[in-house]
Amino acid sequence: MKRILSGIQPSGKLHIGNYFGMMQPMIRHMEAADLYVFIVDLHALTSVQDRDRLRQGTLEAAADFIALGLDPDRCTFWVQSDVPEVCELTWMLSILTPMGLLERCHSYKDKVAKNIPASHGLFSYPVLMAADILLYQAEVVPVGKDQKQHLEVARDIAIRFNNTYGTTFVVPEPEISEDSAIIPGLDGQKMSKSYDNTIPIFLDEKALRKRVMAIQTDATPVEDPKDPDTCNLYALLKLFASPEKMREVHALYVNGGAAYGYLKQDLFELINTYFAAARARKKEFLDDPGYLRQVLAAGAEKARAKATVTLDLARDRMGLKY
Ligand code: ADP
Ligand code: TRP
């Protein structure tokens, strides 16, 4: 069984980009993998400094995953900071991380361009992510396309460590699902919690309708042909609509007759129905945070048992055991 691992930041409400890019693929892997899923609160500190928001985000991310079908008994599911060994490994790996490798990371540059403070933590974010992956000896890491470069950094660091100190870490492979590679947000850029352009998974009807209606579209008149490949509304519809429905919509785009207002109403109804059952389950979990905390504590214990074995080996390899 392959060891498959991925994490998600609790920095805001999880959205449909997170769902199709990472959560759904991870939940599907539960059937046939040794699965590690975690909530990366230490990473989220780079953008959230409001403690109540972080706490709430962490519990909600846990509720979201379980409501959407992740079974904590069939995987290892925990909160990153509950296994502090990851911070020690981060330091050890940072010694082998060239500045140039981090300077090339697009995600850092994009976030700074979006006014996220350019802290040392934000800069070294990919090293903590590499530690997340290597600490658990993950073989496969399913992520959205935006994380591909971070995976390359993790692989590079693993290879450098193995070359310097002898084989210690599994070199992880990314798994990027092509059909949902980058899901656009309301403004057509990558949907991201950092950009305030998301459609959260678990909005109530009224708020969901408002979000969907706010999808930005161009000013082409209804009767004119439109290019489906550059339209974010079309890309979002494709995630939820049946193939038959999409054939109809495609014809309206290329022949003329696609009315954005009606298509947004369709999209709203599709999303609302798609997540209705999970939304009800999430509410039950949030009403009982004691259960969530218990699940996460048990998960952290399982994760920590694995982490201490790897860390012990890495320490030995580096000469930190005397
Ligand atoms: P965000 O950018 O909203 O903060 P994260 O960086 O926490 O999201 O991403 C969590 C996971 O969801 C990652 O695997 C990431 O690749 C995936 N993901 C995030 N946004 C998208 C998107 N717009 N399309 C596809 N996958 C996404
Ligand atoms: N950086 C990832 C993101 O923003 C989250 C993350 C942190 C992660 N550690 C990880 C993903 C380890 C996969 C594996 O989406």
Side-chain angles (χ1 to χ4, degrees):
M1 256 205 313
K2 282 231 185 276
R3 177 161 302 144
I4 301 186
L5 168 146
S6 195
I8 199 153
Q9 297 193 61
S11 50
K13 289 192 184 310
L14 300 188
H15 53 76
I16 61 179
N18 296 140
Y19 180 68
F20 288 103
M22 183 273 198
M23 301 170 85
Q24 188 191 54
M26 286 302 273
I27 292 166
R28 288 189 176 153
H29 276 310
M30 203 165 53
E31 300 300 324
D34 180 15
L35 194 70
Y36 285 66
V37 188
F38 58 128
I39 300 167
V40 296
D41 55 346
L42 295 171
H43 278 110
L45 284 174
T46 56
S47 59
V48 184
Q49 275 114 44
D50 175 328
R51 77 173 78 85
D52 292 332
R53 242 189 83 200
L54 188 60
R55 282 185 190 134
Q56 184 63 20
T58 302
L59 281 175
E60 283 210 31
D64 288 359
F65 257 110
I66 303 176
L68 289 164
L70 191 80
D71 178 351
D73 290 330
R74 291 166 67 199
C75 64
T76 305
F77 182 50
W78 78 104
V79 175
Q80 183 187 32
S81 67
D82 281 339
V83 183
E85 282 78 1
V86 75
C87 295
E88 185 173 341
L89 185 62
T90 301
W91 175 252
M92 290 151 81
L93 299 181
S94 73
I95 306 300
L96 294 164
T97 309
M99 289 292 285
L101 191 63
L102 300 180
E103 276 161 0
R104 284 194 292 279
C105 286
H106 308 298
S107 165
Y108 171 74
K109 288 184 267 191
D110 291 351
K111 286 178 178 172
V112 173
K114 296 277 175 197
N115 292 328
I116 296 178
S119 66
H120 174 255
L122 190 67
F123 184 66
S124 58
Y125 179 113
V127 189
L128 176 58
M129 179 159 162
D132 279 336
I133 298 168
L134 305 187
L135 190 59
Y136 300 99
Q137 304 285 23
E139 293 166 275
V140 180
V141 183
V143 282
K145 205 176 193 170
D146 59 304
Q147 294 296 314
K148 192 165 173 247
Q149 194 181 32
H150 286 162
L151 252 292
E152 277 155 20
V153 171
R155 286 172 57 84
D156 198 327
I157 296 175
I159 292 167
R160 276 166 199 272
F161 193 103
N162 289 348
N163 287 343
T164 310
Y165 293 110
T167 305
T168 306
F169 295 116
V170 170
V171 180
E173 297 286 342
E175 181 192 84
I176 294 156
S177 73
E178 281 309 321
D179 49 334
S180 59
I182 291 192
I183 298 187
L186 302 183
D187 54 1
Q189 294 187 76
K190 178 201 139 163
M191 185 180 288
S192 170
K193 289 175 232 108
S194 322
Y195 303 162
D196 191 23
N197 65 354
T198 70
I199 301 178
I201 302 170
F202 291 111
L203 287 183
D204 64 38
E205 268 189 50
K206 200 165 153 222
L208 177 63
R209 177 180 273 113
K210 204 165 157 208
R211 263 339 244 180
V212 172
M213 293 302 157
I215 294 172
Q216 291 171 21
T217 43
D218 59 28
T220 319
V222 174
E223 57 285 0
D224 287 9
K226 305 174 182 70
D227 181 2
D229 295 334
T230 56
C231 178
N232 48 337
L233 176 58
Y234 186 89
L236 291 168
L237 269 167
K238 222 163 92 180
L239 297 167
F240 295 96
S242 64
E244 299 83 70
K245 167 87 184 165
M246 280 323 284
R247 270 195 292 278
E248 265 172 47
V249 175
H250 189 266
L252 289 173
Y253 269 77
V254 292
N255 302 326
Y260 291 136
Y262 286 116
L263 293 174
K264 287 182 186 175
Q265 177 63 27
D266 288 347
L267 178 62
F268 156 70
E269 283 165 16
L270 285 165
I271 300 178
N272 195 40
T273 312
Y274 192 95
F275 292 118
R279 194 188 305 146
R281 281 196 296 275
K282 171 174 175 173
K283 193 178 168 317
E284 282 173 30
F285 292 129
L286 277 186
D287 289 343
D288 183 9
Y291 165 76
L292 290 175
R293 290 198 177 92
Q294 194 186 322
V295 164
L296 293 169
E301 206 175 309
K302 250 163 72 182
R304 200 164 193 183
K306 179 74 198 165
T308 48
V309 174
T310 314
L311 187 65
D312 199 52
L313 177 66
R315 279 179 170 176
D316 190 36
R317 289 281 152 84
M318 292 187 98
L320 294 169
K321 282 169 76 169
Y322 53 90

